[in-house]
Amino acid sequence: MNTPTQAALRRINRDFYSQYAADFDRTRHPGGWPGWRRVVETAAQATNRLLRVLDLGCGNGRFALFLQHNPELLSHGRFIYNGIDLSSELIDHARAAAASLDHIRFRTDDIESCALDEATYDLVTLFGVLHHIPGFDTRRRTLERAASAVAPGGLLALTCWQFGDDPGFERRRLDWASEAGVDPAELEPGDHLLRWGPGDSDARRYCHHADELELDRLVEGSSLTEVARYRSDGPGGRQNLYWLGARDGAATLS
């Protein structure tokens, strides 16, 4: 995928989250995804200290609130959290929701290129992120950067949104022909333009469907060891494909 096409795809999503951040925030609740419980329990098993979390592509901060509302999942019931997202509008919503919690911090930055501090984390997450990153090579580099922030004994958790397996999403797919700056010849298998919201809405997002085979390619040669792979969330508990990778053999759940 060439650079102009990647820039056009990023613009689509940047414009979407700028314009529809409030609507998006209202549909994303701190109750979180069912699959998150297994992630947190697995990470908590591997450390005897408060959990240090880096949430890349944190959106409106709902994972931070999930941790806050479910202390029983943590080995000490406590955590410190840093969230990063490109959308300043979503970060504003995240900060408002966690304004009284000084162990939760957010910043606006591009997770594909931002400087990560020298600290490492017990849990690094990429939830609902990879499907917005254009180009396999860029997705792979982003995953590798995330892995570099995992502490010894820590865990990286990512999800691949399996919307391509859901016939209900077919009616939300839009034609690329009218999208300025996007060369269909440069798109990769699994790249889609999806309508968001009501059927007559102009809101749209670039989304990529990464299946099991692509996930295998993404994590091939990773510095982390796969400890779990499973599906959860959404109708039938199949909407997200989770991959959990540990540094130095963190604990796994059955």
Side-chain angles (χ1 to χ4, degrees):
M1 181 180 292
N2 63 26
T3 299
T5 300
Q6 287 185 314
L9 297 176
R10 291 188 179 100
R11 172 186 50 78
I12 292 169
N13 287 348
R14 186 173 60 251
D15 291 349
F16 169 82
Y17 287 107
S18 176
Q19 185 173 355
Y20 296 98
D23 293 333
F24 187 83
D25 176 65
R26 281 193 291 271
T27 65
R28 302 302 190 265
H29 306 294
W33 296 342
W36 287 352
R37 299 187 70 87
R38 183 171 178 179
V39 170
V40 178
E41 289 169 348
T42 304
Q45 280 187 356
T47 182
N48 59 5
R49 58 185 173 229
L50 80 166
L51 195 70
R52 303 168 300 174
V53 180
L54 176 63
D55 188 7
L56 297 171
C58 64
N60 68 344
R62 54 187 168 153
F63 184 58
L65 297 181
F66 173 82
L67 294 171
Q68 185 67 23
H69 295 161
N70 293 277
E72 74 282 359
L73 300 178
L74 306 170
S75 56
H76 292 275
R78 298 184 301 119
F79 65 97
I80 54 175
Y81 169 101
N82 286 279
I84 304 175
D85 199 277
L86 181 60
S87 170
S88 59
E89 293 84 1
L90 286 178
I91 288 293
D92 286 345
H93 286 283
R95 286 175 173 153
S100 63
L101 305 173
D102 59 10
H103 57 289
I104 294 176
R105 297 184 178 89
F106 299 100
R107 87 171 195 254
T108 302
D109 215 331
D110 186 347
I111 67 166
E112 293 181 36
S113 58
C114 69
L116 299 179
D117 57 37
E118 294 182 1
T120 54
Y121 296 84
D122 304 306
L123 175 60
V124 178
T125 65
L126 287 164
F127 292 143
V129 173
L130 291 178
H131 64 267
H132 279 337
I133 296 178
F136 174 84
D137 291 341
T138 310
R139 288 188 289 277
R140 174 69 181 259
R141 286 195 299 271
T142 302
L143 192 154
E144 290 172 347
R145 293 185 74 247
S148 72
V150 177
L155 190 74
L156 171 67
L158 64 85
T159 59
C160 297
W161 184 24
Q162 301 298 284
F163 65 90
D165 295 342
D166 185 349
F169 277 89
E170 185 62 39
R171 64 181 180 273
R172 295 172 57 179
R173 292 193 177 103
L174 301 172
D175 194 330
W176 288 103
S178 61
E179 199 59 47
V182 176
D183 179 0
E186 283 292 323
L187 296 173
E188 299 178 354
D191 286 342
H192 298 280
L193 187 64
L194 296 183
R195 179 185 291 111
W196 187 84
D200 60 351
S201 171
D202 291 331
R204 64 202 187 283
R205 299 186 294 167
Y206 156 70
C207 298
H208 176 82
H209 175 90
D211 59 14
E212 290 257 13
L213 292 177
E214 180 170 335
L215 177 58
D216 287 339
R217 293 172 59 213
L218 285 169
V219 302
E220 183 179 5
S222 172
S223 60
L224 307 179
T225 301
E226 180 173 328
V227 295
R229 184 186 299 215
Y230 59 95
R231 294 204 184 202
S232 185
D233 313 330
R238 305 282 297 171
Q239 200 163 83
N240 279 319
L241 171 62
Y242 283 76
W243 185 86
L244 277 57
R247 187 174 303 286
D248 298 336
T252 183
L253 294 179
S254 61

